[in-house]
Amino acid sequence: DATNWQYTGSVNGIVNYILDKKIAIFGDSWSDEDIQWSTTVNNVWVKTFRDIVAPYNPTIYNYSRSSRGFCRKDNNNQYTGLEIIQNTELTNIDTVIIQMGLNDFLNGIWVGACTSNGTTYVWGALNAIEPYLAGKNVFVITPAAVSSRGTNTVACATLELYRIVLANWCKHCGYMLINGTTCPQIPKGSSAYEGSHIKNAYHPIVAQHIFSKIAQGGEVFSPLKEILSYVPAETVHNVTTFN
């Protein structure tokens, strides 16, 4: 409940990244305030976040759409994460919050080599996004500890690989990281989850977590131990267990 929650940390981050700032949010269904595919999962964290930051008078523009990844188009088959950032006017935006990557993983989109370019690979898309975010305060939220594997996931990867890539992107570009896996009360296997989403009641917790980390100026990457068992091992190129 945002009305009964008080932030007790330093206000430096609030002044630098929220107070009177213009904030753009780019995300997937975890951030999409206009969810149309579900009647039970629709109270996304951005709604509570608006209430939490209201005393600091920011202007929030939410460009999130369900099913979107950095290389994966949204559920309206319109934009990938790269494309929506390319096509959004960011000249007067002060702070950018990005929460994507899960749908790239669930659809088996390859991370790619460090020399990858364009929209085919996640790392290439991330590199292509960088020029559009120049001069902005950028926060990147890593995917939470969901249990959904998807039907097209690359057999030799866990979602932690995508988190590691995002953490290194932040370090490379000087962005601020927020660990989606350290949000209180929604660890891996928690009853808060409905597949790859969380129940409405838990979104205020996510909003408070994100606000606190923005106020702190981000945080260091927190690895999450994940194990993937793949049976049968179809080729020698597949990793059967990954720790």
Side-chain angles (χ1 to χ4, degrees):
D1 183 354
T3 59
N4 295 322
W5 181 76
Q6 297 293 324
Y7 177 69
T8 58
S10 170
V11 298
N12 290 343
I14 296 175
V15 171
N16 292 334
Y17 312 123
I18 296 176
L19 181 65
D20 296 325
K21 297 296 188 291
K22 291 182 172 59
I23 302 173
I25 301 174
F26 298 96
D28 52 26
S29 56
W30 275 60
S31 311
D32 183 1
E33 294 176 276
D34 188 32
I35 286 179
Q36 299 175 2
W37 55 269
S38 175
T39 58
T40 60
V41 178
N42 48 32
N43 185 26
V44 299
W45 68 269
V46 180
K47 294 182 179 180
T48 303
F49 184 79
R50 290 181 184 276
D51 294 334
I52 293 175
V53 301
Y56 310 107
N57 195 41
T59 303
I60 297 177
Y61 306 92
N62 187 5
Y63 300 101
S64 303
R65 288 294 178 269
S66 299
S67 300
R68 180 179 289 156
F70 290 103
C71 298
R72 164 80 176 177
K73 288 188 182 293
D74 55 49
N75 57 350
N76 291 326
N77 200 35
Q78 185 178 15
Y79 287 132
T80 66
L82 165 59
E83 291 167 344
I84 185 61
I85 291 174
Q86 288 176 321
N87 287 280
T88 300
E89 177 55 60
L90 296 175
T91 303
N92 296 318
I93 295 296
D94 304 296
T95 298
V96 176
I97 303 172
I98 300 175
Q99 186 183 39
M100 285 182 281
L102 174 61
N103 289 298
D104 296 292
F105 169 71
L106 293 177
N107 288 276
I109 295 175
W110 287 64
V111 170
C114 63
T115 55
S116 299
N117 293 305
T119 60
T120 305
Y121 302 108
V122 172
W123 188 251
L126 296 177
N127 285 334
I129 286 171
E130 182 180 354
Y132 297 90
L133 303 181
K136 312 298 180 187
N137 303 308
V138 181
F139 290 87
V140 179
I141 306 169
T142 64
V146 300
S147 57
S148 295
R149 179 179 181 275
T151 56
N152 300 311
T153 303
V154 179
C156 60
T158 72
L159 184 53
E160 181 67 355
L161 171 61
Y162 290 73
R163 299 189 190 102
I164 292 170
V165 168
L166 291 174
N168 279 279
W169 184 48
C170 287
K171 185 175 182 179
H172 175 69
C173 298
Y175 303 154
M176 291 162 281
L177 181 77
I178 298 175
N179 291 295
T181 59
T182 61
C183 185
Q185 301 184 46
I186 58 169
K188 191 173 181 65
S190 167
S191 60
Y193 286 106
E194 288 188 356
S196 58
H197 302 90
I198 58 172
K199 300 173 183 176
N200 286 345
Y202 289 81
H203 280 287
I205 299 172
V206 178
Q208 292 159 13
H209 174 73
I210 292 172
F211 173 80
S212 294
K213 298 306 177 183
I214 291 176
Q216 295 168 25
E219 58 183 338
V220 298
F221 178 59
S222 178
L224 179 70
K225 182 178 180 180
E226 288 189 333
I227 299 175
L228 173 69
S229 296
Y230 187 76
V231 180
E234 295 180 349
T235 73
V236 294
H237 302 293
N238 290 331
V239 179
T240 54
T241 58
F242 177 83
N243 187 334

